[in-house]
Amino acid sequence: MLFGGVLGALQWLVVRERVPVPRKAWITANVGPALLAWLLVIMPAVTSAQDSHDNVSTAYLLAASQSLALGPLLGLSQSLVLRKVTRRWAWWIGANLASWLIVDAVVYLLSLWSKDLDLFTGDGSIVEVYVTLIATTPLTGRALLWVLAPSALGHK
């Protein structure tokens, strides 16, 4: 929820410069998917690890890295807000998915090269999880500017 709230607040600072989107609607569109990913992906993995006496921190790291679903969930949720102001709203879903796939692929390839980056094996750190989450920002940010370009604004 913290990630969704911070991401939503920071994105809204950019979005509001292009279109009149209510802050509450935009931040809620970020917190909802983050909460869903937490409840449906991360918590079950942690609970399962705890019940089986496995390493809970490893389960958390694996679940967080598997929350690739967060990209499309964010894109879908945010697109419902963007739908009212841009004709390119549907592209936002794909842009989120693509950015998360690209970042995960790069992190995976880097982990093959360096054993210090073990996010996908469960031996990584929480810092690696957040770096991976933050690394999507430049890609999604650029896509957001395209989705909100003046030529795309207006209803469907």
Side-chain angles (χ1 to χ4, degrees):
M1 284 181 46
L2 177 64
F3 173 75
V6 170
L7 176 67
L10 293 174
Q11 281 183 336
W12 180 77
L13 292 173
V14 173
V15 170
R16 73 178 181 164
E17 296 294 322
R18 298 268 177 136
V19 292
V21 171
R23 180 177 49 138
K24 183 178 179 180
W26 189 259
I27 293 174
T28 301
N30 283 270
V31 171
L35 181 59
L36 259 169
W38 180 264
L39 292 174
L40 299 178
V41 178
I42 296 172
M43 285 309 297
V46 171
T47 303
S48 174
Q50 187 175 12
D51 290 344
S52 64
H53 304 293
D54 288 337
N55 187 339
V56 174
S57 63
T58 298
Y60 174 76
L61 289 169
L62 285 172
S65 68
Q66 293 302 316
S67 67
L68 179 60
L70 186 57
L73 282 173
L74 279 171
L76 178 62
S77 181
Q78 292 171 337
S79 73
L80 299 175
V81 176
L82 293 174
R83 186 178 193 170
K84 299 172 185 168
V85 295
T86 179
R87 291 182 296 277
R88 295 179 182 164
W89 64 271
W91 285 96
W92 183 238
I93 301 166
N96 268 280
L97 176 59
S99 70
W100 289 70
L101 286 172
I102 290 167
V103 168
D104 277 355
V106 168
V107 169
Y108 175 73
L109 292 173
L110 287 174
S111 74
L112 294 176
W113 176 70
S114 170
K115 296 302 175 196
D116 292 331
L117 189 62
D118 294 331
L119 180 63
F120 293 112
T121 64
D123 295 329
S125 70
I126 194 67
V127 172
E128 290 174 13
V129 172
Y130 283 105
V131 166
T132 301
L133 293 172
I134 292 168
T136 63
T137 304
L139 297 171
T140 55
R142 185 67 197 129
L144 185 59
L145 292 176
W146 179 78
V147 166
L148 295 176
S151 62
L153 297 182
H155 296 287
K156 304 179 192 179

